[in-house]
Amino acid sequence: MSEKPTLRRSLSIRDLVVYGMLFIGITAPMGTFGVLDARSDGVTPLVFAVAALGMGATAYSYARMSHVVPKAGSVYAYAQAGLGKFPALASGWMLTLDYLFIPAMAVLFMGIAFNALFPAIPTWGFTVCAVVAITVMNLLGVRLAAKVGTWVLVVEIIMLATFVASAIYVLCTSGAVRSVGSPIAGFGRFDWSGMFGAATVAALAFLGFDAIASFAEETTGDTKDVGKALGVCLIVAAALFILQTYLASLLSPYSPEFLRSHPEVQGTAFYDMLDRQIGTWLHLPITLMRAVGPIFSAFVAQAAASRLLYAMGRGGDLPTFLGEVEQKERVPKNATLLSAGVTLVVSTLAALSPSGLETLSTMVTVGALVAFLFLHASVIGYYAFSKGEGVRAAVIPVLGMAVVLVLLIDASHTALLIAAGWAVLGLLARAGRGLFHKKS
């Protein structure tokens, strides 16, 4: 009797970094620059530095657990090792709120962007095409997808480098609009409350780097590769975020005070800066890049979601057919198709709703943050108690939990209600499954 096929080990540490950077999106601050600039009183680069430090605790916890539990499913697998069976189920279920709906949010964002460029085609039409494309890529195997993703990331880096070079040229020839120290020191009296409040929003830009942990069973290196890739992604993303927002701050035609009094321009503040200070020639390429980028974020998110469903199916917490691996390409085909189906339905419904993007963003944010709480608790349970390391193993995870709790407190009531409803749905599904097995 032949052994069941397992996931193929074909991803290098470079591939993991590519996946992480594609999921994060190296130009993520462009869309939120105006909001953060207004809220922080002009210290947006400092805001991203603080947010990165806050997320560093989460990267640390992922690195520790991925080393000792190098399995697909990330937090679900870690909670099994550090907390037990039921907490693992709870963490996995809440993580599905993140991983299952992030692809829908990403393709919806892409659909909205392309609909603005080509209004004759409805948003849902673009989302359907995107779901089909990313599903085909994921079914063809992670190695091919990693190669395609690498080229996409190269294009994104070239576009960002073009902006950086152009901004530096303008600064050298025409000078800065704001003082060179203002993006760090602010204007006059430093607003600590505004800065930390903006940091809670900026921290959300880093969500997604954790998806790397889902591919632990498909790496070609040792068990430390996932942790190393997580650290590289966080550091590189933070550096790029700080650089682009620092240059944008120096060239911004709007003061933070103006942005606060005119919230309608906050969403376009970065692009208005491009048009006025650098030229409209760069606006369209960057807009296209910002439209195409979410497709590959969705592609990585769908792959991560399928690994979570695969791990939970293999562990018996979801139907076992999800824990099967396709023979030829060695991918979790059933889990991938289920993830694609959810993405297709959710993104289409959201595209038809005026508040669809906002609702999806609140769902995935809270799902990720709750999963982070389980992650930090797993580190404490495994290292502080099971391995006897005591308090020293709990210090950084406790700091990470504090950061996550601040983010959750700042979340909308709607998001928290949705998360609570999702948790109740999971409990009911588990109870029904247990009752069915008992009768059988």
Side-chain angles (χ1 to χ4, degrees), residues 8 69 127 190 225 385 428:
R8 175 177 289 136
V69 189
T127 63
F190 192 86
D225 278 0
F385 292 99
L428 292 175

Side-chain angles (χ1 to χ4, degrees), residues 64-322:
R64 293 217 77 184
M65 293 306 297
S66 64
H67 174 51
V68 295
V69 189
K71 294 182 178 181
S74 67
V75 177
Y76 168 72
Y78 308 154
Q80 281 185 323
L83 300 174
K85 184 68 174 176
F86 182 76
L89 171 61
S91 65
W93 181 256
M94 293 309 296
L95 195 58
T96 61
L97 189 60
D98 175 20
Y99 283 2
L100 279 179
F101 293 102
I102 272 187
M105 183 179 70
V107 297
L108 177 58
F109 187 87
M110 179 278 303
I112 292 171
F114 270 109
N115 177 253
L117 294 171
F118 308 100
I121 302 176
T123 299
W124 65 265
F126 287 112
T127 63
V128 169
C129 292
V131 173
V132 172
I134 65 174
T135 302
V136 170
M137 279 197 295
N138 274 316
L139 290 176
L140 290 175
V142 291
R143 189 67 194 134
L144 174 63
K147 290 181 180 179
V148 175
T150 299
W151 284 108
V152 172
L153 184 60
V154 168
V155 173
E156 291 183 348
I157 291 172
I158 291 172
M159 291 306 305
L160 182 57
T162 302
F163 161 68
V164 170
S166 301
I168 292 174
Y169 174 79
V170 171
L171 289 170
C172 292
T173 56
S174 303
V177 176
R178 303 180 187 176
S179 66
V180 294
S182 63
I184 303 299
F187 297 84
R189 181 172 172 270
F190 192 86
D191 184 4
W192 290 97
S193 175
M195 188 273 291
F196 282 113
T200 63
V201 177
L204 303 179
F206 293 99
L207 295 185
F209 77 101
D210 55 289
I212 294 172
S214 299
F215 304 102
E217 291 184 33
E218 294 162 271
T219 60
T220 56
D222 61 34
T223 57
K224 293 183 179 180
D225 278 0
V226 170
K228 292 176 182 177
L230 283 163
V232 170
C233 284
L234 185 61
I235 292 170
V236 172
L240 295 178
F241 289 178
I242 292 168
L243 175 61
Q244 62 192 280
T245 55
Y246 180 78
L247 295 172
S249 298
L250 295 182
L251 295 175
S252 177
Y254 307 131
S255 68
E257 184 179 359
F258 178 86
L259 288 171
R260 283 194 294 272
S261 59
H262 295 81
E264 70 277 4
V265 302
Q266 291 180 8
T268 61
F270 189 95
Y271 303 100
D272 292 344
M273 176 276 300
L274 280 181
D275 293 343
R276 297 190 190 185
Q277 304 293 355
I278 296 177
T280 56
W281 62 272
L282 192 56
H283 191 142
L284 180 60
I286 284 185
T287 301
L288 284 172
M289 181 188 68
R290 292 277 292 158
V292 173
I295 298 177
F296 291 89
S297 293
F299 142 69
V300 178
Q302 185 191 73
S306 68
R307 272 61 181 177
L308 174 62
L309 295 175
Y310 162 75
M312 294 183 73
R314 183 176 61 183
D317 289 319
L318 286 178
T320 54
F321 77 91
L322 294 173

Side-chain angles (χ1 to χ4, degrees), residues 308-346:
L308 174 62
L309 295 175
Y310 162 75
M312 294 183 73
R314 183 176 61 183
D317 289 319
L318 286 178
T320 54
F321 77 91
L322 294 173
E324 298 175 0
V325 174
E326 188 263 339
Q327 180 70 45
K328 182 179 180 182
E329 299 299 338
R330 305 267 290 275
V331 296
K333 180 179 178 181
N334 295 334
T336 300
L337 291 174
L338 176 60
S339 175
V342 172
T343 300
L344 185 63
V345 172
V346 172

